[in-house]
Structure formats: structure tokens, C-alpha cells
Amino acid sequence: MAILEARNLVKRFGAVAAADGISFAIEPDSVVGLIGANGAGKTTFINMATGYLKPDSGAIFYQGAEITPLAPRAITHRGICRSFQVPQLFLSLTVRENLLVSAGIAVRHGAGGRIEAQVADSLERFALAAYADKLAGVLPEGIRKLLDIAMALAARPKVLLLDEPTSGVSAEEKFGVMDTVMQAVRPQGVTVLFVEHDMEIVERYGERVLAFYEGRIIADGAPRQVLENPEVREFVVGEHAAH
Amino acid sequence: MSDRTARALVLALAILLVAGLVLPKWAISLAIISLGKGLVVLGMMLLMRTGLVSFGQGLYYAVGAYAVGILNQVYKFSDAMLMVAAGALAAALIALVLGALLAGYRAIFFAMLTLAFSMILYGLLVKSSALGSTDGFNVDARTLAGIPMGGGASYTLYAFASIAAFLGAWGLHRYQGSLLGRIAPAIRDNELRVEYLGASVRAVVLLNYVIAAVLSGAGGAIVALAVGHIDPEMAYWTTSGEFVFVAILAGTGSVAAPFLGSALFEAIRTVAYQYSPYTWQMVLGAAMLAVIMFLPSGLWSLFERRRARP
């Protein structure tokens, strides 16, 4: 059974179709890259899958059960968590306090374990220990991204949606950020969907790639196969085909 | 009590209890009022940590006081502890109802709605002749948990107010260290993320609103017993504004800050009124300006700076 499934999702913002009949299914324990130009509908899909936006029509299923009408909080409790393109942190709190809040909420809602142990584990796995007592508001972008993802993982999700995990991160840091994230989530069998504009990242970390264009999926398959698709090369990668 | 704040609170309580034995009557009276109002500001501090400013905390201050008045005058209760507990309970019950509505509002909308509710109570009290209308009425406690005590600002009431303030501050300190307490500043920073982490922002806001109301109700009841008189002014917007004033003056750095701010406010007001009866508000305004300009995080930041100095 698919762990996450979209069925004929439609979402319009005025004349713009951010989702125009999107359907796909994601198998458990897979890593899927979502690519597409700005406005193609990738983040809109994440927002719909996590309850922030409701589709005009269509439905989203998690482990066979519909989650479309649920609020973000309820979807988190089911097992789907997300990170954000612009990290959503508690800027006046330290890194440790950010993790204490996220782990505390997770433990309170049945994630199990001890809060302090979870925080220590997150600090180590995401290489955040050196920043533990720094305010989140003063962190470099790469560390903010890692903290944002570490907080999302605190609820021990089965599906993790990453919205542009390397945007704003320097070219030197981007693989380090992704390696740290993958080493943290893959041993737990977490299914990962990540939105990404960097095709090197997509090719290296994605097992499957979905290419979005104007609210539709124009290619779906292995990274190499999708990135060589002429439509993807023209509309997503930006390479115009020779005429 | 292992942490530093808790030890400091115990020490402060001991100093208060001993000092009360030698303080003159006027100082005892001023101290009880400061402690009572400090409890209200303590609740304000919790709301401010959650990112909310209430311009209507006078509502619960008045509810606590009127609960004392009604029990004393109508039902002939005369035990201070029982009446203060009833004041806190009455405030909690009203806060549960109003908080359910207010929990969905933020920023200026929250502030204005709290103000509106307190002014509705003010209007009801002014129009209610059974509750003394604009004149209010007198209250008089004769016992404290069965122990006889003198009326008004007695040492017994002072000791009770000190213990109540200690329990309020210590309880809030413990609460702030708990998960729910930690969520408060997280809500202030980014409530969307709190929801995405799986917590109900609405429930936490409601809980903090009720806690603030309980503290305000208890504070109002204590002040009513100390002054021996209650009137609708306790629910008027200027009273609520005074609590906001003290909260900004004190800062939100510690649970002790509201009491320090409240004591300083009462002292400045008393002295200013004595030497400048027609322009005492100007002195308070100047004090506020000075704090905003030189100590934007409030008086308590003086202690934090000192601690941070190597």
C-alpha cells in the first residue's frame, strides 16, 4: 500500500492553477524529489499534504486513510511532518530550547522516549551540539535548515516533507546539509519527499523524481530518466531544445 | 528547591516576613497593595511571554475584589483565605468562558477585546445598585484560615499576601520550566510552527489566559481586603492600563520582576502624589519614559546585566 497518495488534486489561486489534476502514489521508505520552476505547484502540494491549504477538489491519502480535511496538527499526529523553505524557528529561543519544545510536544502526544534524551540525540545527529546554547535568530542559514529539519523529525514521522532543504545554503555546504539529513532519517525508514531546484542534489539523493509544470506532473521516474526528458529540460531545467 | 530562582524567592519571602514585623502601618499597607497588584502583573507577564498584551486585566482584578465583597456583605463570610480563594475561582470561571472566545485573536484585536470586556463589567457595576453602584462598598475580614486578624492592613494579611505572592511566583516559575510553559514564547515567536509540531496554540493560549485571570482575581481580592473598600474603578480601563504600565516598567525577565515593578510604581505614585498632588501622573510618565529609553527590557534587565558581567 502507498504511504502517501494524491488523487486528482486541483487547487487554483485566481487564474493560476497551482495543482491541476495531480495524481501520484509514494511507496514507503523511498526518497522522492519534487522539481519544477517557481510557481509549478511543488510547495502548494506540500501545503495541501500538511493541511495548511485545502484543495479545491481531489483528495490526499496517508496509509489508505484520507487526510485532506485534517488540520496541520492532526496530520502531524498521524505521522507526516514538514520543514520549510524559510526555516520556521523560535528565534528568541536557543537551539536546545527549540528542540526541547519540539521533542516535548512530540513526547506529550505519544512519540515515546524521554525529552532530554531526544534533544541530546538530535543535537548529535544533526551536528548541532556546538550551537546548542546559541539563539536560533543568530544561526547561519545551513544550521537553521538543519535545526528546522531536526524539529520536524522530533515527532518521529513516517513521512517527511522537505521544502527546498538546501535553498540559501552555500554550494560548499549543500551536500553536507543533505548528507546529515539523510544519515539522520534513512536509518529510521522515514519516507522523504523533498522539493529542490538543485539538480545535482536531486540526482544524488532522489530515488524517484516528480517533475511539476503549471500544476501538472510532466514526468515521473528515476532521476536520470526524468532529467533527460525533453519537456523537463525545457520547462524545468531551462535548457531549450535545439530546433 | 534546587534552582537559583526558587532559592531567591524563598529568601525574598523570609525577608518580607521578617521586615513586616518592624515596618510601619503605612508601609505594610503599601506592601500588601504592591503584592496584590504584583500578582496581577505576574499574570500579565505570562500573557506577554505568549505574545499577548491584555488591556483588560482589570476585569479579573475587579471580579476577585467583588467576589470578596459579595461573600463578605451578602453571605457574611469573614475569612480572608476563603474569600481570596473564591475571588481566584470566580476569575477562573469567567476566564474559561471569555478565554474560549479570545484565544482566537491576537495583537491589537486581543488587546481591544480584553479592554471591551473589562469596560462591560465596569458598566454593569456602575449601573448595579445592589453592588453599590459607583460608590462600591466596604469589606472586612476577621479571620485568616480561622486565625483572628485585625481589619485592613494587618501583619497577618501582609504575611498572607507575601505567601500568596511567593506561591504565585514560584508556581509560575515552575510552570515556565514545564513543556506548556516553554510553548508560550514559542507561540510568541512562531505559532504556525507550534501547530505544525502538533500542539494546539489555542489550548495553550486559553490555559495561560485562565492562569493570568486566577492570579489577577487573587490579587484583586487581596487588595480589596487591604484597602477595605471596592468600587467599579477596579474594572476601569485606567486600572488595566496601570498593570500594563507596571509590566513594561518591570520587564518579563523573572517572576520576581512584577513585584519589584509594582512596589516601585506604588512608591513613586505615593511620593509623587504627596509632593505634587496635581501633576503626579507626569512624574509617572517621566519614569516610564526613562525606563523605555534606558532600560527597554524593563527594570529587571539591570539584574540580568549585572549577572552577565564577567
Side-chain angles (χ1 to χ4, degrees):
Chain A
M1 183 200 293
I3 194 161
L4 189 68
E5 187 181 355
R7 287 188 201 161
N8 206 24
L9 287 178
V10 175
K11 180 71 185 175
R12 292 182 187 281
F13 298 102
V16 177
D20 190 9
I22 290 175
S23 294
F24 62 86
I26 304 294
E27 296 305 311
D29 202 14
S30 55
V31 180
V32 180
L34 308 184
I35 62 171
N38 287 333
K42 310 175 299 295
T43 299
T44 299
F45 168 72
I46 288 190
N47 284 338
M48 289 192 287
T50 53
Y52 185 66
L53 289 177
K54 300 298 170 202
D56 298 336
S57 63
I60 301 172
F61 295 83
Y62 170 69
Q63 293 184 325
E66 186 173 357
I67 57 167
T68 328
L70 300 181
R73 194 171 70 245
I75 292 175
T76 298
H77 295 159
R78 294 281 178 100
I80 301 176
C81 291
R82 71 171 291 183
S83 72
F84 297 80
Q85 182 181 350
V86 177
Q88 296 294 310
L89 310 174
F90 307 125
L91 298 179
S92 70
L93 306 185
T94 64
V95 168
R96 190 189 305 279
E97 287 167 337
N98 270 269
L99 291 169
L100 273 170
V101 170
S102 40
I105 294 171
V107 168
R108 192 180 170 86
H109 287 95
R114 284 180 56 247
I115 296 171
E116 288 76 13
Q118 268 204 42
V119 171
D121 184 48
S122 296
L123 286 172
E124 189 190 328
R125 277 196 297 151
F126 285 88
L128 293 167
Y131 302 91
D133 297 316
K134 288 200 184 303
L135 291 179
V138 301
L139 297 174
E141 189 61 19
I143 304 300
R144 283 185 189 216
K145 288 277 185 188
L146 287 174
L147 177 58
D148 191 46
I149 295 166
M151 288 166 71
L153 263 186
R156 300 190 183 173
K158 292 192 175 68
V159 175
L160 180 63
L161 307 174
L162 306 175
D163 196 353
E164 301 196 28
T166 65
S167 75
V169 177
S170 69
E172 296 77 39
E173 286 179 306
K174 65 182 184 183
F175 292 118
V177 167
M178 283 304 286
D179 284 342
T180 306
V181 172
M182 288 303 162
Q183 282 162 16
V185 300
R186 296 303 287 149
Q188 297 179 12
V190 177
T191 303
V192 178
L193 269 77
F194 66 98
V195 170
E196 191 53 69
H197 286 290
D198 187 320
M199 295 308 145
E200 282 185 308
I201 297 285
V202 173
E203 212 167 346
R204 186 186 288 202
Y205 298 97
E207 295 167 359
R208 177 184 166 194
V209 173
L210 298 172
F212 283 64
Y213 178 68
E214 293 185 345
R216 290 176 292 112
I217 293 174
I218 57 171
D220 177 358
R224 172 66 51 190
Q225 177 196 342
V226 169
L227 294 177
E228 285 176 357
N229 179 303
E231 270 194 302
V232 172
R233 290 180 65 176
E234 180 170 358
F235 297 125
V236 179
V237 183
E239 293 173 3
H240 293 280
H243 292 290
Chain B
M1 289 188 193
S2 55
D3 68 290
R4 198 164 143 167
T5 304
R7 285 198 302 271
L9 289 173
V10 171
L11 182 66
L13 175 64
I15 292 170
L16 278 173
L17 293 177
V18 173
L21 296 169
V22 294
L23 285 173
K25 183 99 173 166
W26 66 265
I28 291 278
S29 174
L30 201 66
I32 299 173
I33 293 170
S34 298
L35 290 165
K37 289 186 175 177
L39 278 170
V40 185
V41 179
L42 189 66
M44 294 270 305
M45 191 183 95
L46 176 62
L47 290 176
M48 287 166 94
R49 273 174 60 87
T50 319
L52 302 165
V53 177
S54 166
F55 277 100
Q57 220 55 15
L59 185 152
Y60 300 107
Y61 180 65
V63 163
Y66 271 82
V68 168
I70 292 167
L71 282 178
N72 186 236
Q73 293 298 315
V74 181
Y75 297 101
K76 306 302 175 195
F77 279 65
S78 62
D79 190 87
M81 189 179 282
L82 196 72
M83 289 191 284
V84 171
L89 181 65
L93 293 174
I94 293 173
L96 267 174
V97 177
L98 297 185
L101 171 70
L102 288 167
Y105 293 89
R106 299 289 179 273
I108 194 69
F109 306 102
F110 178 87
M112 288 297 111
L113 278 172
T114 56
L115 177 69
F117 284 132
S118 74
M119 289 308 291
I120 288 171
L121 178 68
Y122 172 77
L124 290 173
L125 293 174
V126 163
K127 296 288 178 193
S128 170
S129 54
L131 294 175
S133 189
T134 51
D135 292 336
F137 50 86
N138 294 332
V139 293
D140 181 29
R142 296 183 184 280
T143 60
L144 179 79
I147 304 162
M149 60 180 245
S154 64
Y155 176 79
T156 316
L157 184 60
Y158 167 82
F160 174 65
S162 301
I163 293 168
F166 166 78
L167 290 175
W170 180 66
L172 199 71
H173 170 64
R174 297 273 302 182
Y175 175 69
Q176 284 178 178
S178 71
L179 170 63
L180 284 171
R182 282 195 195 110
I183 292 177
I187 290 173
R188 181 191 61 207
D189 279 3
N190 192 337
E191 67 178 79
L192 176 69
R193 186 64 197 249
V194 173
E195 284 279 335
Y196 267 116
L197 289 173
S200 167
V201 169
R202 202 182 170 88
V204 177
V205 167
L206 176 61
L207 176 64
N208 290 352
Y209 185 74
V210 172
I211 292 172
V214 167
L215 291 167
S216 302
I222 288 169
V223 172
L225 291 170
V227 175
H229 182 80
I230 56 174
D231 63 50
E233 287 290 316
M234 297 181 92
Y236 199 55
W237 69 270
T238 51
T239 308
S240 298
E242 186 182 306
F243 297 135
V244 176
F245 185 110
V246 177
I248 295 169
L249 181 78
T252 57
S254 164
V255 290
F259 300 99
L260 175 75
S262 185
L264 189 72
F265 178 86
E266 291 300 327
I268 293 174
R269 178 157 64 180
T270 304
V271 173
Y273 195 79
Q274 190 175 346
Y275 291 103
S276 177
Y278 301 107
T279 54
W280 63 273
Q281 293 97 333
M282 211 165 74
V283 177
L284 281 175
M288 182 58 136
L289 268 178
V291 166
I292 289 172
M293 286 175 72
F294 301 110
L295 296 168
S297 300
L299 285 173
W300 196 259
S301 60
L302 279 175
F303 296 92
E304 284 171 342
R305 280 186 204 174
R306 206 173 148 190
R307 200 179 301 162
R309 211 176 288 160

